[in-house]
Amino acid sequence: MSATVPVVEAEQTGIKAYVDFVTGAPVSLRETLGIGSINAGSMHAMAMREDTSGFFNRAGGFGTDAPIDTAALAQVRDFYRIQGVSLGRFVIAPQLLPADWESIVGDLKLTPGGRVVKLGCDVKALQSVQSAHDGISGLDPSLHFAKVEPHHAHEWATVMMTAFGMSGTSMIDVAASCVGRPDWQQYAVWEGERIIAAGSLFIDGDFACMFGGGTLPDYRNRGAQSALLTIRARAALDAGCRWLVAETGAEGPGDHNPSLHNMRRAGFEPMYDRVTWLWRK
């Protein structure tokens, strides 16, 4: 399945999800967090001045309608400078890197950061895999799932951002503002009346992107994320999507990333490992 997923569109859907998640927040939040964005053809970049981790300072979608060269990346670097951030990320699939990439890296003083695994699948083919390995059937009987409605937005967002170690009030408000937004669907797993796991689906034409799946630490290993993967895959099929993509941290020697193994059991196949290239002020 992975060999047929179009790489360029897969990367574009990923960066569109990040940009829409952040820049779709209310104006007051964007001003508080120092959120800005630029587009140049297929390229999208965003920055969040108050995000000290630099996680949301990222650019991607390169290589469709313009060459990947020093000038294209320098435009993003200059944007980061204007936004007042000290760290920026360039997200480019290894297949799309130009032959003179080492020269570009030197010109812009980029350094390699962490690696992620890009995964993908044909949505219809995924259904046949999940019929044999249904993530919902493995959900702890004391838990249940449902689509998130607006009155659960803040609780859902708190769980999502807490699971990723970003529990600041403003970031929770950014996530909550995404609930009910066009092109997004949010799902949660509950224990009783408490949300304990969260996940989103971003729909981009023929593509859908798994986004922000996380479970509170005390509730892990009870099948919540596997269930959310199955639920969102079915939602992508219902939305008429052909391709489904996701990404998670790559494993190094001795590492074990449960999210990666959950995705593979769900029917996703690794497409490639992608280095995140870092610019520092």
Side-chain angles (χ1 to χ4, degrees), residues 1 3 19 47 65 67 86 154 240 268:
M1 288 187 288
V19 171
D65 47 13
S86 58
H154 187 268
F268 284 86

Side-chain angles (χ1 to χ4, degrees), residues 120-200:
C121 60
D122 179 293
V123 176
K124 290 184 178 179
L126 186 69
Q127 302 307 304
S128 63
V129 173
Q130 291 190 341
S131 66
H133 303 283
D134 182 2
I136 295 173
S137 65
L139 184 65
D140 187 306
S142 67
L143 306 178
H144 64 280
F145 65 88
K147 192 172 182 178
V148 175
E149 301 297 335
H151 63 281
H152 284 126
H154 187 268
E155 182 185 4
W156 172 88
T158 300
V159 170
M160 174 189 168
M161 301 313 290
T162 299
F164 286 98
M166 300 180 184
S167 55
T169 300
S170 294
M171 284 309 308
I172 290 172
D173 290 342
V174 168
S177 74
C178 193
V179 175
R181 192 181 302 163
D183 302 325
W184 287 92
Q185 296 183 28
Q186 289 82 23
Y187 297 88
V189 174
W190 277 260
E191 182 180 63
E193 296 184 356
R194 183 189 184 192
I195 295 177
I196 58 90
S200 290

Side-chain angles (χ1 to χ4, degrees), residues 198-260:
S200 290
L201 183 74
F202 176 72
I203 298 170
D204 180 31
D206 285 342
F207 279 74
C209 176
M210 298 286 189
F211 190 91
T215 304
L216 295 177
D218 290 346
Y219 294 89
R220 290 170 184 166
N221 302 312
R222 295 172 63 183
Q225 282 305 313
S226 292
L228 287 170
L229 286 168
T230 297
I231 296 160
R232 289 180 287 170
R234 292 178 180 176
L237 182 65
D238 291 343
C241 299
R242 181 178 181 186
W243 309 108
L244 191 53
V245 294
E247 55 187 55
T248 187
E251 292 180 333
D255 292 339
H256 179 78
N257 179 358
S259 294
L260 175 58

Side-chain angles (χ1 to χ4, degrees), residues 19-167:
V19 171
D20 193 87
F21 178 78
V22 171
T23 63
V27 172
S28 59
L29 274 175
R30 298 201 303 269
E31 292 176 348
T32 297
L33 291 169
I35 293 171
S37 64
I38 59 168
N39 297 335
S42 64
M43 185 280 294
H44 300 266
M46 62 179 175
M48 184 186 297
R49 188 177 57 252
E50 299 305 314
D51 172 25
T52 57
S53 71
F55 180 79
F56 288 105
N57 303 333
R58 57 179 61 217
F62 296 95
T64 300
D65 47 13
I68 299 175
D69 55 21
T70 298
L73 273 62
Q75 178 183 12
V76 178
R77 177 205 60 195
D78 294 342
F79 161 72
Y80 289 144
R81 286 173 170 167
I82 292 169
Q83 290 296 119
V85 301
S86 58
L87 174 68
R89 301 168 185 267
F90 290 88
V91 177
I92 307 173
Q95 300 93 317
L96 304 179
L97 295 176
D100 62 343
W101 180 246
E102 288 189 11
S103 175
I104 295 172
V105 165
D107 290 341
L108 298 177
K109 297 181 173 57
L110 305 182
T111 58
R115 293 185 302 117
V116 302
V117 182
K118 192 78 172 186
L119 302 103
C121 60
D122 179 293
V123 176
K124 290 184 178 179
L126 186 69
Q127 302 307 304
S128 63
V129 173
Q130 291 190 341
S131 66
H133 303 283
D134 182 2
I136 295 173
S137 65
L139 184 65
D140 187 306
S142 67
L143 306 178
H144 64 280
F145 65 88
K147 192 172 182 178
V148 175
E149 301 297 335
H151 63 281
H152 284 126
H154 187 268
E155 182 185 4
W156 172 88
T158 300
V159 170
M160 174 189 168
M161 301 313 290
T162 299
F164 286 98
M166 300 180 184
S167 55

